[in-house]
Amino acid sequence: MANHKSSLKRIRQTESRRLRNRYYAKTARNAVRNLRKMTDKTEAAAALLKVTAMLDRLASKNTISKNKASNLKSKLALHVNKLG
């Protein structure tokens, strides 16, 4: 067990951040999964804007790495462009 007040606070902060990051990362994964399932190009293009913003937000807060966000955005854009 931690002995210092500051380390106890750090433990509390870390846990709350971990849960928050987990929630937003899972939400983004579900959004990406749903976008990949889409077959309508106009609907997918609208969803791509939202998912891209979500991934950028996660990358800026270091919940996911910038490279992972970039790779996902690139693959999703290719998917949307291939739709007829």
Side-chain angles (χ1 to χ4, degrees):
M1 192 65 203
N3 291 322
H4 297 281
K5 265 184 140 178
S6 61
S7 57
L8 291 170
K9 180 179 177 180
R10 179 62 56 198
I11 290 168
R12 288 194 310 268
Q13 287 179 329
T14 303
E15 181 63 15
S16 62
R17 285 187 186 134
R18 184 184 72 83
L19 293 173
R20 187 180 315 122
N21 288 343
R22 201 169 117 192
Y23 169 77
Y24 285 117
K26 182 68 173 178
T27 305
R29 274 199 305 275
N30 287 335
V32 168
R33 198 173 295 132
N34 291 336
L35 179 57
R36 285 190 177 132
K37 286 181 189 173
M38 290 183 184
T39 55
D40 181 37
K41 186 166 184 156
T42 56
E43 188 182 328
L48 179 64
L49 292 173
K50 291 180 182 177
V51 172
T52 300
M54 189 184 295
L55 292 172
D56 285 335
R57 202 172 306 118
L58 289 176
S60 71
K61 294 183 179 187
N62 288 325
T63 302
I64 61 173
S65 73
K66 288 187 190 332
N67 285 344
K68 182 178 177 74
S70 181
N71 287 335
L72 283 171
K73 289 190 302 184
S74 172
K75 295 247 172 78
L76 291 172
L78 278 174
H79 171 72
V80 171
N81 287 334
K82 281 183 184 177
L83 292 175

